[in-house]
Amino acid sequence: MTDSLEQRYQTLCQRLDRAAEAADRPRPRLLAVSKKHSAAAIRRLYALGQREFGESYWQEAEAKMAELQDLDIVWHFIGPLQSNKTRPVAEHFHWVQSVEREKIARRLSEQRPSQLPPLQVCIQVNIDRESSKSGAAPEQVLPLARAIIDLPGLSLAGLMCLPARREDPAAQREAFHRLAQLRAELASDGLGCPILSMGMSDDLEAAIAEGSDLVRVGTALFGPRQKTVT
Ligand SMILES: *Cc1c(COP(=O)(O)O)cnc(C)c1O
């Protein structure tokens, strides 16, 4: 890909507009997934108006956050989270999209500094029940949501999924539809109406057709990920 970051951003924004129009839905928010991409690339996208960025590894994010302190970025943690690694995430991020069990939620809540607003969290749902993927099983979502609602340091903000890779758009939609149904169950249980974080570079049209509120896009924006980030 020889396109510049600026061109890819513009192309992606057009793709989001077209998909939203085709689905007769509002255009979702864009989370720019900057894992394995440089702080310089984040700064260039910020200059174009992008504000929300997603990182998957604390060590990598820490260096970039330090370098980009002067910018008003909303940082989302979207990677796997072990219980001994929750503290810096609770202290430095605005959102954590990868909460999959109560123990992690409790730690994040306890470790969230009291002078900061509650951490916005999404429950990551293993929507296709893949053994290779993290996330709560669909039937665990309701009890986990009830637990999160009671934690003072957290605010239940959404449901997130990473479905199995499928080529067929109808099959892609079917998985996203199941996440939308889970949200409807939460809403009818009085747990609010959290956002749906779904859709990435290869399936965002299907996600938007099923009501995505936030798409998480890396490759279509930044190009292929680098092995090491400087
Ligand atoms: C890496 C990643 C993405 C972005 O994927 P692309 O296919 O590069 O757009 C989105 N969500 C999560 C949770 C990721 O880890």
Side-chain angles (χ1 to χ4, degrees):
M1 231 182 315
T2 54
D3 288 357
S4 70
L5 183 60
E6 287 73 14
Q7 283 167 330
R8 286 194 299 261
Y9 182 63
Q10 201 174 42
T11 302
L12 177 64
C13 289
Q14 287 165 357
R15 211 179 137 192
L16 293 177
D17 282 335
R18 269 202 305 275
E21 201 177 325
D24 198 19
R25 302 258 190 191
R27 177 179 152 170
R29 277 153 61 189
L30 170 62
L31 178 67
V33 177
S34 46
K35 66 180 183 214
K36 308 277 186 196
H37 293 287
S38 67
I42 295 175
R43 193 175 282 281
R44 278 167 66 194
L45 265 191
Y46 185 93
L48 300 176
Q50 178 64 29
R51 290 293 176 270
E52 297 188 89
F53 290 87
E55 291 284 337
S56 299
Y57 313 97
W58 164 244
Q59 281 200 329
E60 186 189 324
E62 182 178 22
K64 290 182 214 175
M65 284 177 168
E67 203 169 324
L68 299 168
Q69 261 175 23
D70 56 315
L71 305 185
D72 192 19
I73 288 176
V74 178
W75 292 103
H76 293 239
F77 189 81
I78 61 171
L81 195 48
Q82 283 133 20
S83 51
N84 61 346
K85 301 271 172 62
T86 49
R87 183 175 296 279
V89 170
E91 289 176 349
H92 291 94
F93 283 80
H94 305 88
W95 285 66
V96 176
Q97 294 206 14
S98 45
V99 174
E100 57 170 3
R101 49 200 169 96
E102 194 177 329
K103 183 181 174 194
I104 299 285
R106 287 193 182 286
R107 290 182 68 94
L108 287 170
S109 177
E110 282 159 14
Q111 293 166 346
R112 181 69 171 171
S114 56
Q115 74 275 16
L116 295 180
L119 189 60
Q120 303 292 307
V121 300
C122 298
I123 296 175
Q124 180 173 352
V125 185
N126 188 353
I127 198 73
D128 287 314
R129 301 178 188 276
E130 296 170 277
S131 56
S132 61
K133 291 227 177 96
S134 37
E139 65 276 7
Q140 293 168 343
V141 170
L142 203 58
L144 181 53
R146 289 197 188 107
I148 289 172
I149 291 272
D150 287 335
L151 294 172
L154 306 186
S155 172
L156 178 62
L159 300 179
M160 185 270 258
C161 74
L162 257 159
R165 202 172 272 282
R166 297 177 175 95
E167 301 288 327
D168 174 32
Q172 291 175 349
R173 280 188 66 162
E174 192 273 328
F176 293 131
H177 186 71
R178 281 183 273 124
L179 195 73
Q181 281 177 319
L182 277 175
R183 173 175 58 184
E185 283 174 33
L186 295 192
S188 66
D189 209 59
L191 295 168
C193 199
I195 69 157
L196 296 174
S197 169
M198 57 188 199
M200 319 199 302
S201 294
D202 293 332
D203 56 13
L204 62 88
E205 281 83 4
I208 291 169
E210 292 299 335
S212 173
D213 300 294
L214 178 145
V215 294
R216 309 179 310 271
V217 180
T219 310
L221 199 46
F222 293 101
R225 283 185 270 280
Q226 304 159 11
K227 295 224 169 53
T228 53
V229 181
T230 47

